[in-house]
Amino acid sequence: MKYTKLGKSDLNVSRICMGCMGFGDAAAGQHAWTLDEDASREIIKYGLDNGINFYDTAIAYQGGSSERYVGKALRDFARREDVVVATKFLPRSQDEIDNKVSGRQHIENSLNQSLTNLGMDYVDLYICHMWDYKTPIEEIMEGLDAVVKAGKARYIGISNCYAWQLAKANFYARENGLSEFVSIQGHYNLIAREEEREMAPFCYDQNIAMTPYSALASGRLSRKPGETSARLEKDAFAKFKYDQTAEADGLIITRVMEIAEKRGVSMTEVSLAWLLSKVTSPVVGATKMKHVDGAVKAVELELTSDEIAYLEELYVPHALAGVMAQNGK
């Protein structure tokens, strides 16, 4: 495993971040394909044994059970100072708004619940799961700065936003001496490259770490065209993201397969090696040991410039997923 700094922070993270949405009680959330606690623990330990020190979860994953599974496994198998733990919070609910719960109080309440779930005193990276259009960004940044100053979060990040929103938030923080976002977790992979238009150039310029989710397009970039899995069949949000461009995406996936066969490696390795040439640490979900193996091996694979060009040549624009305009569309 190789390691790198997470943007401007002093966090030393593995080049692969283990995404933990696949861990949790399937009866407690929106995903029917998640692993129970025993199976989750096995995957987490295997990741640790293979050098992965960066783990990403969220309070929204399976009713908080992902946080509970991840926290207990990391407490049992690793020293706290040896792992980098990230979790995410959602925008204020309408009930909170109606009851005049401020953005700052919402952040404190959410983090306290996540820390309870994790069984930890602090998280290394606390992430806005998505832009909150109903709460002033000033309230959000001041609330996040408060939990950093309280020692409950070491750094802050954001997910599912536009580049202008990230720039606006960090400008306000910088002007007012507050904590800035050090990372962005957006939707980015070989068949969904819209982050390259605005977000990636901005992050490269500002030394903001890119830790994209859906690194393998919910498994599409790791399987030959026509192969399926439980998640491919049951994940409705993934179908929304990719089904509309399935034919064009299939041509790119075929090229991934061609390079993998030529190099004698897996499609996972090729797809992630491409992404690793662009970002700090992709978030890679794992529900089987072989998923960890492929991700770890990808760190050592270097694609040639010709191979990268061949993979990128057939890309077609995709509708944005995750980020939303203020009107909800």
Side-chain angles (χ1 to χ4, degrees), residues 4 6 13-18 54 209-212 275-276 279-284:
T4 190
L6 188 78
V13 298
S14 49
R15 291 299 312 278
I16 296 294
C17 174
M18 182 173 286
F54 190 10
M210 296 182 72
T211 63
L275 190 55
L276 282 160
V279 307
T280 302
S281 181
V283 178
V284 182

Side-chain angles (χ1 to χ4, degrees), residues 230-303:
R231 182 172 184 185
L232 287 177
E233 294 174 0
K234 297 178 181 179
D235 192 332
F237 186 55
K239 289 181 179 181
F240 159 74
K241 289 189 290 185
Y242 304 112
D243 278 7
Q244 59 192 321
T245 54
E247 184 176 350
D249 294 346
L251 299 176
I252 298 172
I253 293 168
T254 297
R255 291 193 171 193
V256 172
M257 179 182 68
E258 291 172 4
I259 292 175
E261 291 176 349
K262 181 180 178 182
R263 296 287 295 267
V265 298
S266 68
M267 292 175 63
T268 293
E269 290 168 69
V270 172
S271 299
L272 290 180
W274 175 86
L275 190 55
L276 282 160
S277 73
K278 314 284 185 178
V279 307
T280 302
S281 181
V283 178
V284 182
T287 54
K288 297 179 181 178
M289 301 298 189
K290 67 179 182 180
H291 297 161
V292 178
D293 291 333
V296 170
K297 289 177 182 176
V299 175
E300 301 299 329
L301 178 64
E302 292 190 16
L303 300 175

Side-chain angles (χ1 to χ4, degrees), residues 121-181:
D121 297 326
Y122 68 93
V123 292
D124 299 281
L125 184 64
Y126 198 41
I127 303 171
C128 294
H129 210 146
M130 59 193 69
W131 190 263
D132 187 343
Y133 286 98
K134 296 182 178 181
T135 305
I137 189 58
E138 295 83 1
E139 251 185 76
I140 298 293
M141 300 312 292
E142 289 164 8
L144 287 169
D145 184 68
V147 297
V148 171
K149 284 186 167 61
K152 294 181 178 182
R154 294 180 65 190
Y155 295 96
I156 59 171
I158 192 166
S159 179
N160 294 315
C161 71
Y162 295 105
W164 70 263
Q165 292 170 327
L166 174 55
K168 176 181 178 178
N170 273 1
F171 176 79
Y172 177 81
R174 193 172 304 168
E175 288 294 295
N176 290 277
L178 306 176
S179 301
E180 297 180 35
F181 291 126

Side-chain angles (χ1 to χ4, degrees), residues 88-107:
K88 301 183 283 292
F89 68 96
L90 293 169
R92 285 190 302 167
S93 67
Q94 189 58 50
D95 282 346
E96 287 177 305
I97 294 171
D98 292 343
N99 286 296
K100 303 189 184 314
V101 175
S102 69
R104 178 169 179 159
Q105 188 61 55
H106 167 72
I107 289 170

